[in-house]
Amino acid sequence: MCADVTVATGGPALAGSSSLKANLRRAEAKKRRTAFMLTLPLLAFITVMFLVPLIGMVWLSVANTAVRDYMPKTVAAMATWNGKELPPEKVYAAVGEDLTVAYKARTFGRIAKRLNQEMPGVMGVINKTSFRSSKVTTPPASWKDELIKIDPKWGQMPIWNLLKRQSSMFTADYYLAAVDMQVSPTGHIERVPSYERIYIKLFIRTAWMSALVTALTLALGYPLAYWISRMPPSRANLMMIAVLLPFWTSLLVRITAWIVLLQSQGVVNSLLVGSGMVSEAARPQLINNALGTVIVMTQVLLPFMVLPLYSVMRSIPDTYMRAAISMGAHPWRAFWRVFAPLTVAGVGAGVLLVFILSIGYYITPELVGGQSGQFISNRIAYNVQQSLNWGLAAALGTILTVVTLILFLLYGMITGKGKVSLA
Amino acid sequence: MAKDHNDAFVEFDRVQKTYDGESLVVKDLNLKIGQGEFLTMLGPSGSGKTTCLMMLAGFETATQGDIRLDGRPINSVPPHKRGIGMVFQNYALFPHMTVGENLSFPLEVRSIDKSERESKIKRALDMVQMGEFANRRPSQLSGGQQQRIALARALVFDPELVLMDEPLGALDKQLREHMQFEIKHLHDSLGITVVYVTHDQGEALTMSDRIAVFNDGRIQQLAPPATLYESPDNSFVAQFIGENNKLLGTVEAIDGETALIRLDNGEVIRATAVNVTSKGQKTLISIRPERVEYREELMPPGAQTLDAEVLEFIYMGDIFRTRLKVAGSDEFIIKSRNTQGQTRLEPGQMIKIGWDPKDARALDAQ
Ligand SMILES: Nc1ncnc2c1ncn2[C@@H]1O[C@H](COP(=O)(O)OP(=O)(O)OP(=O)(O)O)[C@@H](O)[C@H]1O
Ligand SMILES: [Mg+2]
């Protein structure tokens, strides 16, 4: 009883209020440590499997190692060259010696590949020069004459400008290429010839097709989410399970099913022809084009729209609409003035979520997109697997990642206000 | 106020309602509500009060029967054309609109021009003493303030009929009592008809002109508060409203208004025959605690007396509550005011209690 009174009057607490704070801090710190320990395995996993590759990708998109690593003497010799006229003899000598070593070490191919990405045709020059200079047994009187004899290109400026540019550690070339630009032989930044411009077009197509898919999922998902959200809880849960059902089916299986439905001899076309709505000759092309990509992606991404919409709508009680109607508003008007504005956060979240997922989509456009339904991701994969231009793939990937990240921050701002949860 | 209940403003005529096609939530409801009346639907949870209100508002359809408003059947009138004001338990103020916009909504819907809208909004807000709050959002208001705004919004378009479904359910006791007074005051000054739903009997008793006690989808009794409290028609009403002592027995004889009842312990007492018709019938006698006297000098002439044993004495400040064992029942309560010189009964004490036989009502045994 006595002890109670002293605590209640605040005697000790007042006297030691700073120690109270210290105690609190210690207790909190312990809690934080525990939380950190519990998430440590996940943090480690994310670091190794996600962060490291991400950093690696960004590095690849700007790194310029081929010339620095395999032509070290040339890089050193060119450091003092002004780049206005042909370089002095010692630079020619450095090139000759570097390529001789590179030929023996079998690394000349990498130099050739890298330089060829920036100036088509250089590959042959490097290959030839490597081979021939490695056959030079005694150091020639003039490496300059020797090289120009091997290939007259060594007597002109462009290849030297290229070597100079490629001798720096970092390059923006890949990013330029990712937006259909290049550095001209004279060192100016210019657009690539029109027949080579593909990436800007692909970025725009990726964006507008994603927007179209987003709009379609919204148009289909909004009424669906509204309908489910007005059901009694037990039925609503059942319906939501139905909405989420596709998640338990492999994406590949679903896409295959769509192919069966949409191909030119497929179910939909057969029905159209069978019912006489279209003639045999005029079977519409529903797949392996942009249309196919849009149809399949809309189906695949619909749950991601319904989920946030439903979560927001569920929290809006019936009484709002009833109140509005009792005040004399036609149900449509009540809907637009009262219900719809309250779902804006859910619409924002759903739209961003679907758009973010869309712009990074790969597998669906790859399988049903044909030529006109390709997304930027498909081109990234091409550069990784076919053309082996990893720097360009990394630059494209980095651009895509940054755009996604910005959209995701926006999404976080909308959902962070506690209005939308995906639980 | 004089209310003419024959000239019904709202009328439920043999209304039935079922949600699932199996059980009737509202069974044969007949109710006439006069113009300007304050009628309360009172009843336990699930007794169908909200359902009745929603049928009147048009959000639920009656499975059977007619609902008439001002003489016209409204079964086929959509809810937005009924012109009925509504106040909901959770207020249902639109969170994305300011208080002013909330009040403006029913006026805009009616295409009332801006200047008139503003004057109506101001008048409605002043009516609930919330004049300065027009630019606030509902989330910036306390529960009681939101309640007032909801009230103002239901009244701003001058409806003749206002429905309120447990409008004060979310408020604390003190605020609730204050708002009861204000709603009653608004009702009196505006002359509107109010149908009010509550399961708080105190609220119903203080506010209403008449109370319809609901149970099991039926109106058990429809009467002014005093009648309901003092002359309950059946044992449900007696037990639902106020505190009530029950004595179980069998009818021995009935002589007009008076019945002789043999209690379960063999004693025979006189009571008012309300809900008993024949000899041998089981009955439940209901007596209000405050009508029981234990001081012989204060008992009314011709009082019915019984022996009692004091079981418990409870001090409650302004009153004393004493629990007694009477005729086999040990839940018999008497109440006495804490006046100067009032005796405090001791547990174990044997006393004699008595009451006017008019106050003992022989009701159905349920
Ligand atoms: N939409 C509905 N669908 C099915 N049954 C319903 C529905 N609304 C109410 N009920 C049922 O009808 C009965 C009466 O409900 P109602 O809401 O009218 O009761 P109430 O008297 O207002 O109760 P409370 O005091 O708890 O609000 C309850 O048994 C309830 O379960
Ligand atoms: Mg209710």
Side-chain angles (χ1 to χ4, degrees):
Chain A
M1 184 63 206
C2 258
D4 279 352
V5 171
T6 37
V7 170
T9 52
L14 267 184
S17 79
S18 62
S19 80
L20 204 62
K21 269 185 194 148
N23 281 347
L24 178 69
R25 219 174 306 127
R26 218 170 307 134
E28 294 282 299
K30 192 159 170 235
K31 231 184 279 172
R32 263 200 302 274
R33 249 196 325 272
T34 316
F36 179 72
M37 297 293 275
L38 286 172
T39 51
L40 201 59
L42 180 64
L43 281 176
F45 181 81
I46 289 177
T47 312
V48 174
M49 304 307 290
F50 185 71
L51 224 49
V52 169
L54 198 68
I55 292 168
M57 179 179 79
V58 175
W59 167 252
L60 268 182
S61 72
V62 293
N64 202 26
T65 52
V67 173
R68 277 188 89 81
D69 287 357
Y70 305 122
M71 299 179 76
K73 288 184 185 151
T74 312
V75 171
M78 277 204 303
T80 52
W81 174 52
N82 63 15
K84 296 238 163 50
E85 67 279 341
L86 286 177
E89 167 63 19
K90 68 165 181 173
V91 176
Y92 278 94
V95 169
E97 287 160 19
D98 275 339
L99 288 181
T100 305
V101 172
Y103 186 77
K104 287 181 179 140
R106 297 277 158 215
T107 53
F108 69 97
R110 300 190 192 177
I111 304 167
K113 187 180 130 224
R114 172 68 192 112
L115 294 179
N116 201 63
Q117 281 167 358
E118 298 306 321
M119 189 184 285
V122 171
M123 185 177 272
V125 179
I126 298 295
N127 287 350
K128 193 163 64 180
T129 312
S130 305
F131 173 71
R132 297 267 292 273
S133 55
S134 71
K135 296 285 176 273
V136 176
T137 42
T138 50
S142 163
W143 269 109
K144 186 172 180 175
D145 297 342
E146 188 70 28
L147 288 186
I148 293 171
K149 204 167 77 203
I150 293 171
D151 195 308
K153 285 221 172 68
W154 290 112
Q156 291 152 16
M157 280 303 286
I159 195 165
W160 291 109
N161 282 331
L162 178 65
L163 265 178
K164 173 90 179 163
R165 264 207 325 281
Q166 297 308 323
S167 62
S168 73
M169 172 101 99
F170 297 107
T171 176
D173 290 349
Y174 298 124
Y175 283 97
L176 290 176
V179 291
D180 293 337
M181 310 276 252
Q182 65 181 14
V183 179
S184 70
T186 52
H188 295 291
I189 292 176
E190 59 178 22
R191 296 185 68 186
V192 297
S194 59
Y195 57 87
E196 281 181 21
R197 291 175 199 162
I198 51 169
Y199 291 109
I200 293 282
K201 218 172 79 190
L202 258 181
F203 272 116
I204 291 173
R205 183 202 285 166
T206 303
W208 90 255
M209 277 178 60
S210 297
L212 184 63
V213 168
T214 307
L216 284 173
T217 53
L218 181 64
L220 295 174
Y222 199 96
L224 179 67
Y226 177 77
W227 181 54
I228 299 176
S229 74
R230 299 299 101 181
M231 287 180 181
S234 58
R235 266 217 308 158
N237 284 341
L238 212 66
M239 290 305 294
M240 282 314 282
I241 289 175
V243 167
L244 299 180
L245 211 57
F247 283 148
W248 292 315
T249 320
S250 154
L251 183 61
L252 285 174
V253 172
R254 277 185 283 158
I255 293 175
T256 313
W258 274 111
I259 294 174
V260 170
L261 282 175
L262 299 178
Q263 62 190 336
S264 60
Q265 299 299 322
V267 177
V268 173
N269 263 316
S270 302
L271 280 177
L272 287 175
V273 173
S275 68
M277 286 206 284
V278 298
S279 70
E280 179 64 47
R283 282 174 183 259
Q285 175 78 21
L286 300 174
I287 205 156
N288 293 327
N289 56 13
L291 180 63
T293 305
V294 170
I295 292 175
V296 179
M297 278 181 68
T298 300
Q299 191 267 335
V300 170
L301 292 171
L302 190 58
F304 294 99
M305 182 61 86
V306 175
L307 228 53
L309 283 176
Y310 172 77
S311 139
V312 164
M313 290 178 182
R314 190 86 220 170
S315 69
I316 303 173
D318 282 335
T319 48
Y320 286 142
M321 281 285 277
R322 289 192 166 178
I325 292 171
S326 78
M327 285 185 267
H330 187 275
W332 269 114
R333 185 161 185 172
F335 178 83
W336 282 113
R337 284 292 310 278
V338 177
F339 193 88
L342 293 175
T343 60
V344 165
V347 171
V351 162
L352 277 173
L353 191 60
V354 170
F355 191 76
I356 287 171
L357 290 169
S358 292
I359 58 172
Y361 244 57
Y362 164 71
I363 193 76
T364 308
E366 185 70 19
L367 294 179
V368 301
Q371 194 58 43
S372 62
Q374 296 284 298
F375 275 30
I376 199 73
S377 314
N378 303 102
R379 198 66 198 178
I380 294 177
Y382 167 82
N383 277 320
V384 171
Q385 294 161 356
Q386 315 278 318
S387 82
L388 300 183
N389 190 348
W390 285 24
L392 179 55
L396 291 168
T398 306
I399 292 175
L400 195 59
T401 308
V402 168
V403 171
T404 306
L405 223 59
I406 291 170
L407 290 173
F408 197 79
L409 287 180
L410 220 65
Y411 173 79
M413 270 159 59
I414 291 178
T415 53
K417 285 180 198 150
K419 283 185 183 153
V420 195
S421 73
L422 292 179
Chain B
M1 274 162 296
K3 304 278 151 57
D4 188 355
H5 300 152
N6 298 325
D7 184 18
F9 182 55
V10 177
E11 185 177 3
F12 286 87
D13 186 10
R14 282 170 289 138
V15 169
Q16 294 187 346
K17 172 72 184 176
T18 172
Y19 283 107
D20 52 10
E22 284 167 17
S23 58
L24 286 174
V25 170
V26 175
K27 304 167 185 162
D28 193 35
L29 178 73
N30 293 289
L31 177 61
K32 290 179 178 179
I33 303 169
Q35 181 110 39
E37 188 175 6
F38 195 115
L39 184 119
T40 298
M41 296 178 172
L42 175 68
S45 192
S47 56
K49 309 178 296 285
T50 300
T51 305
C52 287
L53 215 60
M54 288 303 151
M55 286 193 290
L56 184 49
F59 295 114
E60 295 290 351
T61 48
T63 322
Q64 275 281 314
D66 279 330
I67 300 173
R68 282 187 279 272
L69 184 61
D70 213 3
R72 290 184 307 274
I74 54 169
N75 291 32
S76 58
V77 179
H80 65 278
K81 294 205 175 131
R82 295 193 182 187
I84 299 174
M86 282 192 85
V87 182
F88 295 86
Q89 177 171 359
N90 63 3
Y91 319 133
L93 295 177
F94 306 141
H96 58 297
M97 298 184 192
T98 64
V99 165
E101 287 163 350
N102 263 283
L103 264 71
S104 175
F105 185 81
L107 304 175
E108 280 168 37
V109 168
R110 287 176 171 69
S111 317
I112 291 171
D113 65 62
K114 195 160 190 294
S115 60
E116 195 182 344
R117 269 200 326 251
E118 276 167 5
S119 73
K120 273 180 187 282
I121 292 170
K122 188 170 162 5
R123 194 166 45 110
L125 284 179
D126 287 342
M127 206 159 65
V128 292
Q129 291 110 52
M130 293 288 289
E132 294 98 77
F133 293 84
N135 292 320
R136 294 257 195 116
R137 298 235 168 216
S139 57
Q140 298 166 322
L141 301 175
S142 73
Q145 289 168 336
Q146 290 183 31
Q147 176 55 56
R148 282 160 201 261
I149 299 302
L151 204 58
R153 193 179 64 174
L155 295 172
V156 71
F157 60 98
D158 304 317
E160 285 186 78
L161 175 62
V162 177
L163 312 183
M164 306 191 190
D165 192 355
E166 305 195 27
L168 308 180
L171 303 182
D172 64 49
K173 187 164 176 290
Q174 215 171 348
L175 200 53
R176 198 158 65 218
E177 281 167 5
H178 184 72
M179 287 303 295
Q180 286 169 9
F181 170 78
E182 287 201 15
I183 292 175
K184 187 66 190 151
H185 180 75
L186 280 173
H187 166 253
D188 289 346
S189 62
L190 297 176
I192 49 175
T193 308
V194 175
V195 181
Y196 192 96
V197 165
T198 181
H199 54 234
D200 178 338
Q201 42 155 311
E203 199 163 290
L205 291 174
T206 49
M207 297 175 81
S208 323
D209 293 325
R210 284 191 306 162
I211 300 173
V213 180
F214 273 67
N215 189 39
D216 195 22
R218 283 183 202 282
I219 295 184
Q220 302 291 330
Q221 188 169 0
L222 173 63
T227 314
L228 207 61
Y229 185 81
E230 285 162 32
S231 318
D233 275 352
N234 57 42
S235 54
F236 175 82
V237 176
Q239 287 175 65
F240 191 72
I241 311 255
E243 205 167 11
N244 180 52
N245 288 312
K246 348 175 233 193
L247 294 173
L248 290 169
T250 321
V251 178
E252 195 81 339
I254 300 180
D255 176 16
E257 291 277 279
T258 323
L260 284 181
I261 313 289
R262 181 174 295 279
L263 297 181
D264 285 359
N265 71 343
E267 259 183 284
V268 176
I269 62 166
R270 282 165 294 145
T272 310
V274 179
N275 223 353
V276 289
T277 46
S278 59
K279 190 167 177 294
Q281 201 181 343
K282 284 274 176 203
T283 182
L284 184 146
I285 298 172
S286 140
I287 311 155
R288 296 287 181 202
E290 64 276 13
R291 295 292 170 95
V292 180
E293 186 49 69
Y294 65 94
R295 287 162 300 183
E296 233 154 319
E297 67 278 14
L298 295 177
M299 283 185 200
Q304 171 70 52
T305 58
L306 279 179
D307 291 323
E309 180 192 348
V310 178
L311 294 177
E312 197 178 0
F313 174 84
I314 304 158
Y315 178 84
M316 295 182 72
D318 56 341
I319 56 162
F320 302 149
R321 250 171 130 243
T322 314
R323 192 160 64 85
L324 307 174
K325 188 180 174 75
V326 176
S329 152
D330 51 10
E331 291 293 334
F332 202 98
I333 303 288
I334 61 175
K335 283 184 187 168
S336 43
R337 281 174 56 221
N338 185 1
T339 49
Q340 196 78 46
Q342 179 74 282
T343 41
R344 300 184 180 197
L345 298 168
E346 297 292 331
Q349 205 177 337
M350 295 302 294
I351 56 169
K352 206 175 240 324
I353 53 171
W355 56 79
D356 189 331
K358 281 205 205 74
D359 291 331
R361 297 172 66 80
L363 306 170
D364 53 303
Q366 285 182 311

